């Protein structure tokens, strides 16, 4: 066992209220779990003589959780596409075809998880591809690192190249085999993962429905209402549907453990129905800005009479950064542009506690509390010469957090801990 001392910040498991200690301490047990967390002066006697480290004024927090990104797009950032559908067809579908080769997938899985660790993301829910080899490579690498990773076979069978289409005759059975092999193994989870309505036939959506019914505890991840051309094409492909969400509703894919990326252009009716189902939207602002998809009205959706649960994701590689700090920065900028400003504390809470809850893991991660995994990050508010100068102006925690959001990136993550082990400095 050992003790880490630092300034600590977490958001309460039950209430979400900030828990901040100028001089805090976290005791990590030999299983990589938190044995105790609180103010250093309250450290119980039986822990006070443990070996450990004192990180002074650096900020020790729960690790970031990324509830929406794409593993096979790990290197496909910054490609010059016009908009979502153009970007998918010209770049994404080409790159994803490489993942039928397990050597490609194995190398990609290492680099993908390295980059998450470098940026302080300790758990994620990620899309993979249609290839079982790719999913198995990602899961194997996550197990090797003891990381909490949720993913699933990407389901698609039309409006995509032949090599990226599931075989309808076998996909149901293949999915069940993978679910039984991986869901709940070590820290892995399986998510039912139809890419989006446009790339799914009604027969494939029936397969999703069957899987969702058979495995009610499995999360469902997909995309919704990201781009106006995407919405128009969806309405054309499903003429019986009253709107985009109705396609997923028809196949029982809208439920409390469903995560819909984007949801930018929702109608009021769709917003109300999402809220009543308790499904969540994952706001991915760097991706929305990069692809020119639109401005997501976060606070309008989360504080209306019908509030929707909202998470914050990088959406790599439509997103432009693995950094959740950079993701928070774009979320803040978007909130300014839509006229309802979000505060720094809410952004940090979303990137840790709320995202952990969305991916169904709040019982194990997302806050610094006894019994949870010691998945943590150490943030350095003085990581660069400019940040050091800026930090001298900070007189409150809220201001310190805001400067980290606006000026920070992977350089501000001094260390990443997975199950108590320092893994970022070990990469270098
Ligand atoms: Zn996405």
């Amino acid at each position: 066992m050992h003790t880490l001392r630092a300034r600590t910040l977490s958001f309460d498991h039950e209430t979400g209220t900030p828990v901040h200690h100028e001089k805090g301490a976290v005791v990590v047990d030999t299983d990589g779990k938190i044995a105790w967390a609180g103010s250093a002066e309250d450290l119980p006697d039986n822990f006070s003589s443990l070996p450990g480290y004192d990180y002074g004024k650096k900020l020790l927090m729960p690790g970031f959780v990324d509830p929406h990104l794409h593993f096979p797009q790990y290197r496909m950032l910054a490609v010059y596409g016009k908009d979502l559908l153009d970007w998918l067809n010209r770049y994404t579908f080409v790159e994803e075809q490489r993942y039928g080769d397990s050597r490609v997938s194995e190398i990609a899985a290492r680099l993908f998880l390295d980059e998450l660790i470098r940026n302080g993301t300790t758990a994620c829910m990620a899309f993979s591809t249609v290839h079982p080899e790719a999913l198995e490579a990602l899961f194997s690498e996550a197990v090797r690192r003891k990381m909490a990773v949720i993913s699933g076979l990407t389901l698609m069978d039309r409006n995509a190249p032949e090599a990226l289409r599931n075989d309808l005759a076998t996909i149901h059975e293949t999915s069940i085999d993978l679910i039984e092999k991986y869901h709940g193994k070590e820290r892995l989870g399986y998510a039912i993962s139809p890419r989006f309505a446009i790339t799914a036939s009604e027969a494939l959506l029936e397969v999703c429905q069957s899987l969702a019914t058979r495995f009610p505890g499995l999360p469902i991840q997909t995309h919704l209402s990201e781009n106006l051309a995407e919405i128009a094409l969806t309405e054309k492909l499903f003429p019986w549907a009253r709107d985009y969400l109705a396609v997923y509703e028809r196949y029982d894919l809208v439920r409390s453990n469903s995560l819909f990326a984007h949801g930018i252009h929702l109608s009021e009716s769709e917003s109300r129905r999402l809220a009543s189902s308790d499904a969540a939207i994952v706001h991915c602002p760097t991706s929305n800005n990069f692809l020119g998809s639109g401005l997501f009205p976060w606070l309008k959706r989360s504080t209306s009479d019908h509030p929707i649960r909202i998470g914050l994701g990088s959406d790599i590689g439509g997103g432009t950064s693995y950094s959740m700090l950079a993701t928070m920065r774009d979320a803040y900028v978007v909130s300014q542009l839509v006229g309802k400003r979000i505060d720094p504390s809410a952004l940090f809470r979303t990137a840790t506690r709320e995202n952990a809850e969305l991916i169904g893991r709040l019982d194990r991660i997302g806050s610094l509390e006894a019994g949870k995994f010691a998945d943590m990050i150490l943030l350095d508010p003085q990581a660069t010469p400019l940040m050091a100068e800026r930090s001298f102006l900070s007189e409150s925690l809220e201001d310190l957090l805001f400067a980290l959001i606006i000026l920070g990136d992977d350089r501000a993550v001094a260390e990443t801990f997975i199950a108590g082990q320092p893994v970022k400095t070990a990469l270098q």
Side-chain angles (χ1 to χ4, degrees):
M1 291 177 84
H2 61 278
T3 304
L4 304 181
R5 294 165 194 264
R7 191 172 189 173
T8 56
L9 173 68
S10 175
F11 296 89
D12 185 79
H13 176 99
E14 296 294 335
T15 62
T17 52
V19 181
H20 170 232
H21 300 290
E22 289 277 352
K23 289 182 186 296
V26 176
V27 179
V28 180
D29 71 17
T30 47
D31 294 329
K33 292 194 170 155
I34 296 172
W36 187 89
S39 168
E41 63 183 29
D42 298 331
L43 192 68
D45 288 345
N46 53 327
F47 296 137
S48 59
S49 59
L50 288 174
Y53 309 91
D54 190 336
Y55 294 108
K57 287 196 169 302
K58 291 193 178 75
L59 191 62
L60 187 65
M61 294 188 53
F64 293 132
V65 177
D66 192 338
H68 184 80
L69 76 171
H70 297 254
F71 152 54
Q73 297 171 24
Y74 84 93
R75 67 176 190 177
M76 215 206 72
L77 287 72
V79 295
Y80 197 67
K82 184 162 68 77
D83 59 18
L84 172 67
L85 299 179
D86 171 64
W87 174 87
L88 279 172
N89 288 319
R90 273 208 290 154
Y91 304 108
T92 316
F93 289 162
V94 176
E95 179 75 355
E96 291 193 3
Q97 290 183 54
R98 298 170 59 243
Y99 286 73
D101 180 339
S102 49
R103 286 165 307 173
V104 167
S105 299
E106 285 161 14
I107 293 166
R110 285 202 294 277
L111 295 170
F112 174 69
L113 295 181
D114 279 357
E115 204 57 38
L116 288 177
I117 285 167
R118 210 166 270 134
N119 283 277
T121 298
T122 51
C124 69
M125 185 183 291
F127 265 83
S128 181
T129 68
V130 297
H131 313 99
E133 298 87 340
L135 183 64
E136 302 211 46
L138 175 62
F139 277 162
S140 301
E141 189 61 26
V143 166
R144 198 178 70 74
R145 296 171 191 237
K146 299 185 169 64
M147 273 181 89
V149 170
I150 301 172
S151 188
L153 207 57
T154 299
L155 301 172
M156 50 201 285
D157 72 337
R158 66 169 167 173
N159 295 317
E162 188 60 39
L164 288 184
R165 297 186 199 180
N166 305 122
D167 178 359
L168 258 180
T170 57
I171 188 60
H172 192 257
E173 205 180 309
T174 304
S175 297
I176 290 172
D177 288 347
L178 288 166
I179 290 165
E180 288 175 345
K181 183 172 179 188
Y182 288 111
H183 186 65
K185 180 185 179 187
E186 305 287 337
R187 302 186 66 190
L188 303 178
Y190 196 97
I192 299 165
S193 308
R195 182 177 212 119
F196 64 159
I198 288 174
T199 49
S201 68
E202 303 205 17
L204 184 65
L205 288 167
E206 281 172 11
V207 170
C208 297
Q209 181 180 32
S210 167
L211 293 171
T213 306
R214 179 163 172 171
F215 301 101
L218 292 194
I220 298 167
Q221 59 173 348
T222 188
H223 298 84
L224 172 69
S225 198
E226 175 176 1
N227 162 293
L228 296 176
E230 171 214 13
I231 296 167
L233 181 54
T234 303
E235 286 174 356
K236 200 169 138 203
L237 291 169
F238 300 91
W240 49 262
R242 62 194 276 212
D243 52 32
Y244 195 158
L245 186 65
V247 177
Y248 297 133
E249 287 172 331
R250 162 71 183 79
Y251 297 97
D252 300 327
L253 301 176
V254 185
R255 62 189 191 189
S256 63
N257 53 1
S258 301
L259 276 70
F260 294 97
H262 311 299
I264 300 169
H265 307 284
L266 297 174
S267 68
E268 284 312 306
S269 164
E270 287 175 304
S271 297
R272 265 201 311 280
R273 281 143 55 208
L274 272 177
S276 64
S277 71
D278 212 23
I281 292 287
V282 182
H283 175 34
C284 304
T286 76
S287 170
N288 299 162
N289 293 342
F290 178 69
L291 291 170
S293 302
L295 300 173
F296 176 71
W298 183 334
L299 289 181
K300 184 177 168 200
R301 298 282 176 238
S302 65
T303 61
S304 75
D305 293 342
H306 307 282
I308 301 175
R309 298 194 297 143
I310 292 167
L312 191 58
S314 70
D315 196 24
I316 291 298
T320 52
S321 175
Y322 280 79
S323 168
M324 290 305 288
L325 294 169
T327 305
M328 288 185 239
R329 176 172 63 236
D330 270 32
Y332 171 77
V333 171
V334 169
S335 79
Q336 283 280 53
L337 291 171
V338 300
K340 278 185 182 283
R341 192 161 58 125
I342 191 147
D343 66 78
S345 195
L347 288 163
F348 270 92
R349 186 179 67 237
T350 302
T352 56
R353 186 199 174 284
E354 315 297 8
N355 280 352
E357 187 168 39
L358 254 55
I359 68 166
R361 293 295 175 97
L362 187 58
D363 57 335
R364 282 162 274 180
I365 55 172
S367 62
L368 301 180
E369 277 163 278
K372 294 198 177 188
F373 278 98
D375 286 0
M376 305 184 293
I377 50 173
L378 189 68
L379 295 180
D380 182 1
Q382 302 188 324
T384 68
L386 176 63
M387 290 176 76
E389 285 300 313
R390 173 63 179 81
S391 74
F392 294 122
L393 298 177
S394 282
E395 291 180 351
S396 67
L397 176 69
E398 197 74 358
D399 182 71
L400 183 107
L401 295 179
F402 190 55
L404 273 165
I405 289 170
I406 301 300
L407 301 176
D409 52 31
D410 60 313
R411 293 170 296 176
V413 181
E415 188 58 277
T416 304
F417 302 90
I418 302 273
Q421 294 303 311
V423 289
K424 176 168 177 174
T425 48
L427 287 176
Q428 290 147 3

